[in-house]
Amino acid sequence: MAIADLPLADTLARPLRDLRISVTDRCQFRCTYCMPREVFGRDFAFLPREQLLTFEELTRLAQVFVGLGVRKLRLTGGEPLLRRDLEKLVSMLARIDGIQDIALTTNGALLAGKAQALTAAGLRRVTVSLDSLDDAVFTALNDAGFPVARVLDAIAAAAGAGLAPVKVNMVVRRGVNQESILPMAAHFRGSGHVLRFIEFMDVGTTNGWRLEEVVPAAEIISLIGGQWPLEAVVPAYPGEVASRYRYLDGAGEIGVIASVTQPFCRGCTRARLSADGKLYTCLFAGTGHDLRGPLRAGASDQALREQVAAIWTRRTDRYSEQRTRQTSRTQQQKPKVEMSHIGG
Ligand code: SAM
Ligand code: SF4
Ligand code: SF4
């Protein structure tokens, strides 16, 4: 039997269903929770161009993953729209047999000018990150002076290009932007877009994460529900990352991604490919598995499939389930890949 016919599962019986592809480790923002400027400053050594996978290499690897069960692709980064002609990659990926969904996560800075071309190329969905409607709070968070209005314009442009409903990601950090929760909920209620609140995570080792700064999803839901009553929505599919809630008055839905307080490792079917071709089986992994080396050395599709299958079947990752206040402190000292390297 060919590997592609085998139901591939890891040690916790989790199939491989989603692939997140980081197309660049660069970004024009310096969000304090992701790429703090003190670390990602002028002298930071980003990947040189020749180390990035080309669109052809990315497409070939995506095909290998599809042969092992992947059905959904998400392009991310760094900021994926900094990669020139990203729509070309989207159209190459859209032609792979077996792909059901191609999505993009972006900070929105370059989205307005690209939304039409991306949709025409086959992009199905977009997630735009926006952490506040207050310019003072937002610019302090993105540390790049980028105004709220341009992100809102990008969301409107994406919807106009056929990418509605847009998902809007807000990372919540206590003492930084929790005052923005209600204004954001008020703004996106009834807009047709879906606002999702993400608990501040201890990804990487540079963002100064402390458990005290996590606003638990339950607190966010009770805050919003106190203003506009909510009811939980049954998950659309097993392993759905966001817990969804619906406004009882019919003004739409919100989601919470409670990766810290209600981990969802049991249903984690996601693999991540870094821009330089390393496979990570967990957002909190310390090391990746090099696929670019064998790819550039002429490995066959079958050999690449076998390599990925061997990695996935040995997978034991469940970092968030094992995280405690104490381990979180010690984990901060351990090497962990940065979010901007492998994408969210
Ligand atoms: N640059 C794009 C963007 O910001 O949407 C894509 C890459 S970014 C790493 C993907 C997502 O991860 C964003 O929604 C971002 O807000 C989120 N993120 C980054 N650092 C995070 C952290 N420490 N905790 C929770 N979410 C984080
Ligand atoms: Fe850039 Fe996205 Fe990270 Fe912000 S969250 S620094 S926009 S990669
Ligand atoms: Fe998946 Fe790792 Fe996150 Fe758990 S901690 S949900 S295994 S990426």
Side-chain angles (χ1 to χ4, degrees):
M1 201 193 306
I3 275 208
D5 302 329
L6 294 173
L8 188 68
D10 69 7
T11 60
L12 298 172
R14 298 169 295 190
L16 173 55
R17 286 278 176 263
D18 316 80
L19 180 65
R20 300 195 167 200
I21 302 176
S22 171
V23 293
T24 177
D25 59 339
R26 290 167 200 260
C27 187
Q28 67 283 64
F29 286 15
R30 285 293 175 274
C31 302
T32 50
Y33 52 71
C34 179
M35 295 178 79
R37 203 173 276 284
E38 315 82 82
V39 179
F40 295 86
R42 248 171 221 283
D43 300 331
F44 187 82
F46 290 100
L47 291 169
R49 197 185 165 80
E50 67 278 7
Q51 289 198 21
L52 299 183
L53 294 183
T54 63
F55 287 174
E56 287 72 23
E57 289 171 331
L58 281 169
T59 306
R60 184 141 173 248
L61 282 182
Q63 247 154 356
V64 164
F65 279 86
V66 168
L68 292 167
V70 162
R71 294 292 172 264
K72 292 184 182 178
L73 300 178
R74 177 170 293 276
L75 301 177
T76 177
E79 174 46 42
L81 290 175
L82 284 181
R83 186 86 187 245
R84 202 177 312 145
D85 301 327
L86 192 75
E87 63 278 13
K88 280 195 189 145
L89 175 64
V90 171
S91 72
M92 288 163 76
L93 296 172
R95 285 198 287 271
I96 300 176
D97 248 359
I99 290 293
Q100 291 167 354
D101 190 24
I102 305 180
L104 169 77
T105 305
T106 172
N107 60 25
L110 298 171
L111 181 61
K114 281 279 184 181
Q116 290 284 1
L118 289 164
T119 316
L123 189 75
R124 293 275 157 275
R125 296 184 301 125
V126 69
T127 300
V128 179
S129 303
L130 177 62
D131 299 322
S132 179
L133 287 174
D134 178 330
D135 260 324
V137 176
F138 186 53
T139 52
L141 261 167
N142 66 52
D143 200 11
F146 200 82
V148 172
R150 296 224 357 234
V151 184
L152 294 177
D153 289 348
I155 294 170
L163 292 168
V166 175
K167 283 186 184 152
V168 179
N169 274 2
M170 171 177 175
V171 176
V172 184
R173 194 169 179 175
R174 195 182 295 286
V176 176
N177 67 337
Q178 93 266 31
E179 302 297 329
S180 301
I181 295 172
L182 284 177
M184 284 282 282
H187 182 88
F188 287 104
R189 265 170 52 79
S191 69
H193 304 310
V194 179
L195 177 59
R196 298 163 357 135
F197 299 90
I198 308 182
E199 289 180 350
F200 176 38
M201 290 188 283
D202 48 334
V203 280
T205 50
T206 60
N207 68 7
W209 185 88
R210 291 185 314 129
L211 189 57
E212 294 71 20
E213 288 182 69
V214 176
V215 181
E219 191 178 321
I220 297 171
I221 289 302
S222 97
L223 179 69
I224 299 174
Q227 190 93 10
W228 304 284
L230 290 165
E231 68 178 356
V233 178
V234 181
Y237 53 90
E240 194 174 29
V241 170
S243 307
R244 295 155 55 212
Y245 293 81
R246 161 187 314 125
Y247 290 111
L248 287 182
D249 65 2
E253 262 188 32
I254 56 168
V256 281
I257 303 182
S259 7
V260 178
T261 61
Q262 296 161 46
F264 36 78
C265 300
R266 287 285 144 173
C268 181
T269 56
R270 286 175 295 285
R272 294 178 158 85
L273 188 63
S274 65
D276 57 348
K278 292 200 179 73
L279 166 63
Y280 291 85
T281 56
C282 179
L283 189 51
F284 299 90
T287 51
H289 306 265
D290 179 37
L291 299 182
R292 188 189 63 198
L295 183 71
R296 291 192 178 167
S300 66
D301 285 354
Q302 178 66 10
L304 289 167
R305 259 200 306 274
E306 281 170 14
Q307 187 185 350
V308 175
I311 293 165
W312 192 263
T313 47
R314 285 199 298 267
R315 176 181 188 242
T316 56
D317 305 287
R318 50 189 200 98
Y319 176 90
S320 290
E321 283 182 356
Q322 293 166 327
R323 178 200 291 113
T324 62
R325 185 180 295 259
Q326 205 44 47
T327 54
S328 301
R329 292 221 164 96
T330 48
Q331 289 291 339
Q332 278 299 99
Q333 275 100 60
K334 284 198 182 168
K336 273 188 286 166
V337 66
E338 294 299 323
M339 185 99 150
S340 52
H341 195 70
I342 56 168

